[in-house]
Amino acid sequence: MVEILKENWFVVLLAVILVGFVGFFVYDNNKYNVSGKSSEGSAVLASVAQQDITADGVYEDLSKNDDALLFNFYRNAVINEFIPTTDELKASAKNMMMNIEANAQSSGEGEAYKLAITAELGNYGYSKYEDLIDYCLTFAKEKEMDTKYIEKHFSDVQKAVEEKQARTISIITMSVADPEALTEEEQKKKDAIVKEIESESFADAAKKLSEDVQTAGNEGFYGYVDADTSSSELASEVLEASLSLNKGETSDWIIVKNENTGATTLYKVYVNETDLKKIYDKGLDSTKDAVLTAILQNNENLDLVILEDAANQIKDITYTNKETKKRIESYISTLKGENE
């Protein structure tokens, strides 16, 4: 399917050849491998207990029941036609693939991770492990497609995120043994942080005195947060304090105790920006990605709106038959909740 799409650069050919992907549904096993055999004119994929599983039979079952897979063929086709392949996107896809493989290999299951990845790829319309790079390229293209749409319609989609108290914050941390009875050294450091903030800036204090290694080198900048930020990412006490502040305000000391280790950390939080457009325009790549994700999550069906917008801009979309088009449109309506 991927090769067919590549060859038809000017026409997105939505030919649903599910037989080409039966490797996901009928596992190759030497015992049942009857390659070359046919039954009543149809290629036999496997034989189990004297019963032939034919290509036509598998195609009919899948084509009738797997609208999600059909939709993913359509989605992949539109994305790959709408966004041209560039060297930058290829590099992004390669990095993503390497990260996926590295994370999968760390599971310690040997080569088994390839089977798991292959099975997952099957849900998105890819037939083999080697298609992982194509999946990653399509993912990179989808991100660019989303970015182009959101940047063009930012004023229309930002409200839903602003209602979540979107902001960027900076932090300063210091570890203490007992927050109710600081040692002389701990008290001196705490006072020094406050003095540095008042006489210089929060950024200077963070750079010189914060114990948080990941943020101190960047003047304490933590990044984007909103009301949906998980407590696994940022301690709930810190998040709650940050959401109660206005731009340019600094929190009082916040006490956070790690329930797993018993360690206690004191935090100070500073709100850098609360204007979502400014956060996006001036943000680092990681901050922009966080804003894009928040916008997609908080605007219902925006991913489908973007996909349909791209499809409408492609002049030549053809379908194998009216039923294929009808099923795709019906499935999209179901995703939108219109068929309930």
Side-chain angles (χ1 to χ4, degrees), residues 71-82:
F71 168 75
N72 280 324
F73 282 132
Y74 168 79
R75 170 185 161 276
N76 294 348
V78 170
I79 292 171
N80 282 291
E81 175 69 11
F82 187 69

Side-chain angles (χ1 to χ4, degrees), residues 163-232:
E163 292 174 349
K164 298 287 186 177
Q165 300 172 276
R167 60 203 50 225
T168 52
I169 63 171
S170 294
I171 63 172
I172 294 173
T173 71
M174 63 170 287
S175 300
V176 298
D178 181 355
E180 303 301 327
L182 299 182
T183 65
E184 182 178 351
E185 184 177 347
E186 289 170 345
Q187 187 63 56
K188 284 182 178 180
K189 182 164 186 176
K190 184 180 178 183
D191 293 341
I193 290 172
V194 173
K195 183 178 180 180
E196 187 73 24
I197 291 173
E198 292 175 346
S199 62
E200 298 296 332
S201 68
F202 193 95
D204 286 331
K207 184 166 57 177
K208 296 176 184 177
L209 300 168
S210 179
E211 296 177 11
D212 187 85
V213 177
Q214 292 183 324
T215 61
N218 195 28
E219 299 182 331
F221 186 75
Y222 176 85
Y224 174 89
V225 299
D226 61 29
D228 290 335
T229 298
S230 169
S231 59
S232 63

Side-chain angles (χ1 to χ4, degrees), residues 44-152:
V44 173
L45 302 172
S47 293
V48 181
Q50 305 305 314
Q51 181 178 356
D52 292 336
I53 300 174
T54 66
D56 287 347
V58 172
Y59 172 78
E60 289 174 2
D61 287 343
L62 294 177
S63 62
K64 289 178 181 177
N65 301 315
D66 209 334
D67 286 351
L69 183 57
L70 174 59
F71 168 75
N72 280 324
F73 282 132
Y74 168 79
R75 170 185 161 276
N76 294 348
V78 170
I79 292 171
N80 282 291
E81 175 69 11
F82 187 69
I83 301 294
T85 302
T86 63
D87 289 341
E88 184 178 359
L89 287 171
K90 286 181 180 179
S92 178
K94 185 175 181 180
N95 286 335
M96 179 181 174
M97 181 183 72
M98 291 172 64
N99 287 333
I100 290 174
E101 289 179 326
N103 290 332
Q105 289 174 13
S106 67
S107 66
E109 297 297 327
E111 292 292 300
Y113 75 90
K114 291 187 177 181
L115 294 176
I117 289 177
T118 302
E120 186 64 24
L121 285 172
N123 296 322
Y124 294 93
Y126 299 95
S127 62
K128 55 187 181 297
Y129 180 79
E130 287 72 21
D131 288 336
L132 178 58
I133 186 62
D134 290 322
Y135 166 83
C136 292
L137 182 58
T138 300
F139 182 92
K141 287 184 175 184
E142 183 177 27
K143 179 183 175 183
E144 182 163 325
M145 181 179 75
D146 292 343
T147 300
K148 288 179 180 294
Y149 183 94
I150 288 172
E151 288 181 346
K152 184 177 179 180

